[in-house]
Amino acid sequence: MIKANFYRNSNQDIIGFRVSGHAGYAKYNQDIVCAAVSALVTSTINSVEVHSETAYVCEQGASGFWQFKFKEVPDEIGRVLIHTLLMALEGIRDSYGEKFLQVHYKEV
């Protein structure tokens, strides 16, 4: 299962996320849930790099691990991009089920 945790500050601004795991929807290299999540996360991080002026830190590791955090409250573009990722992941979860993808929030 993939777990996506979105970090919120005390004002409920989404300031980052952590995604880890594998969906287990299909065999390796045939798992459309993993592929979709990977594409969305990578696209979001790349888009923040190009379009947002808010500094961030990002870490990618083995086994489907990403951790991303803005260093401050994101600008409007950063906010839109991270909310778009959240909505897309919730859509995948709603379509394929929490057995393969869970989305949670954590106050930091």
Side-chain angles (χ1 to χ4, degrees):
M1 161 193 352
I2 297 172
K3 292 183 181 180
N5 291 300
F6 282 81
Y7 304 130
R8 290 181 172 164
N9 65 16
S10 60
N11 292 329
Q12 299 303 304
D13 299 309
I14 298 176
I15 57 168
F17 60 86
R18 175 189 172 114
V19 175
S20 62
H22 291 286
Y25 181 77
K27 289 191 253 180
Y28 183 75
N29 283 337
Q30 296 178 1
D31 194 322
I32 61 174
V33 175
C34 276
V37 171
S38 294
L40 287 165
V41 169
T42 301
S43 178
T44 299
I45 293 167
N46 290 340
S47 295
V48 167
E49 173 70 25
V50 171
H51 300 292
S52 176
E53 295 185 12
T54 308
Y56 66 89
V57 292
C58 183
E59 178 183 350
Q60 182 181 5
S63 298
F65 171 84
W66 289 278
Q67 184 156 296
F68 174 95
K69 277 190 173 180
F70 287 109
K71 291 185 176 182
E72 58 191 86
V73 175
D75 61 14
E76 184 64 24
I77 293 171
R79 247 189 316 275
V80 168
L81 291 169
I82 205 152
H83 278 274
T84 300
L85 173 63
L86 171 62
M87 289 173 33
L89 293 181
E90 288 176 334
I92 292 169
R93 178 207 55 209
D94 293 347
S95 294
Y96 291 92
E98 287 192 349
K99 177 179 176 183
F100 304 108
L101 172 61
Q102 292 185 354
V103 178
H104 300 283
Y105 300 94
K106 181 178 180 181
E107 189 166 319
V108 293

